Amino acid sequence: MRRANVPLLSLLSVLGAMLAGGCGGASHSGRELTLYNGQHEQTTALLVAAFEKQTGVKVNVRSGDEATLGNQILQEGSSSPADVFYTENTPVLEALREHGLLAPVAAATLAAVPSRYDSAQGDWVAVSARVSTLVYNTRQLTAAQLPSSILELAGPRWKGKVGFAPSETDFQPLLSAIVKLDGTATAERWLAGMQANGRIYPDNETVVTQVNNGESAVGPINHYYWYRLRDELGAGGVHSALHYYASGDAGDLLDFSGAAVLRSSSNKSAAQAFLAFLVSRKGQEALAHSHSYEYPLRPGVAPARGLVPLSSLHPAALTPAELGDGSAALALEQKLGLL
């Protein structure tokens, strides 16, 4: 994931922020659509290629940090050239929904995945899932030494051992889960403890690499970063493993990528078709067979071989709506100078 260079806290407060680059004049011919992409580029490229081959619709992709793109959509308003916004996390979609910038998703598309994962109002559809985990260096720690709760990482036992990336946009749902389940005061104490205990890295790729190298002993990440590192290094280069927290813990969070059609889109038919493809069997199987290592959400589509089955995990019982737009989490990070 990319860094959250422009926090999504109080989106209106950053409307004046200078955002890099323009969008250019994308065609709105009906056989083309413009996709603002905050999801991993390699995952999106695979899905876009399959969609283009199946439909003949050309997809013009603008990739970037999802928070930056979300703020850009706010700036552009009804003049946005974007037809679809595809994100790695749901808070930015919730923020845009709250500002009335998303169009209702077709009912058949929403019905393709379990309703508890989608927008409660039907304004975006969940596409894939990931689980928050703890990566640990197997030369420094055994499984028996690992915490049952993410809150323990703020304690004195872990001083100098933790690496984390607070500017990553997927850190915000994790912190939001702690706020929701354990309260704002506990979340602030935890964040301050993490700040005191840990090394701050620019992104989760660096977290998983430096834990594997032994610079840090543990680090909170989403599961797929470790699987991708394993593929990159091969079995002989891996000196780390994943640890899952106790069932229901805030650290054991199921988080989602999602996609939405912009209310201002001039190509709503093609945009709705793209969302339908993302959650179709073909789209979900393409995702499952890729190297993204995300969990497909369509029932009957199996995840990549080697992933822990979702059915064996019991993550915190939080819906995307309960996680909200991430503003409480971002406020805490800003208060402590982490953004």
Side-chain angles (χ1 to χ4, degrees), residues 84-129:
V84 174
F85 189 24
Y86 184 24
T87 69
E88 192 174 351
N89 299 278
T90 61
V92 63
L93 293 173
E94 280 292 286
L96 294 179
R97 179 193 63 75
E98 290 167 1
H99 283 80
L101 296 175
L102 305 183
V105 177
T109 300
L110 293 170
V113 299
S115 60
R116 64 185 180 277
Y117 301 147
D118 292 329
S119 161
Q121 294 77 22
D123 289 338
W124 52 263
V125 65
V127 177
S128 58

Side-chain angles (χ1 to χ4, degrees), residues 18 31 135 152 225 253 256 314:
M18 298 300 295
R31 299 301 294 168
V135 62
E152 295 176 40
Y225 290 102
L253 177 68
F256 307 96
H314 303 282

Side-chain angles (χ1 to χ4, degrees), residues 42 44 50 52 76 87 116 134 145 184 228 245 266 280 298 300 327:
Q42 66 271 34
T44 301
E52 289 180 330
E76 293 165 342
T87 69
R116 64 185 180 277
L134 187 71
Q145 294 173 301
T184 301
R228 293 174 185 176
Y245 302 102
S266 299
S280 69
R298 186 183 180 95
S327 57

Side-chain angles (χ1 to χ4, degrees), residues 29 131 146 156 176 199 223 226 237 281:
S29 65
V131 181
L146 298 172
S176 295
R199 292 181 174 87
H223 75 276
W226 182 85
R281 178 169 292 277

Side-chain angles (χ1 to χ4, degrees), residues 235-247:
V238 175
H239 310 296
S240 57
L242 293 180
H243 168 69
Y244 295 84
Y245 302 102
S247 296

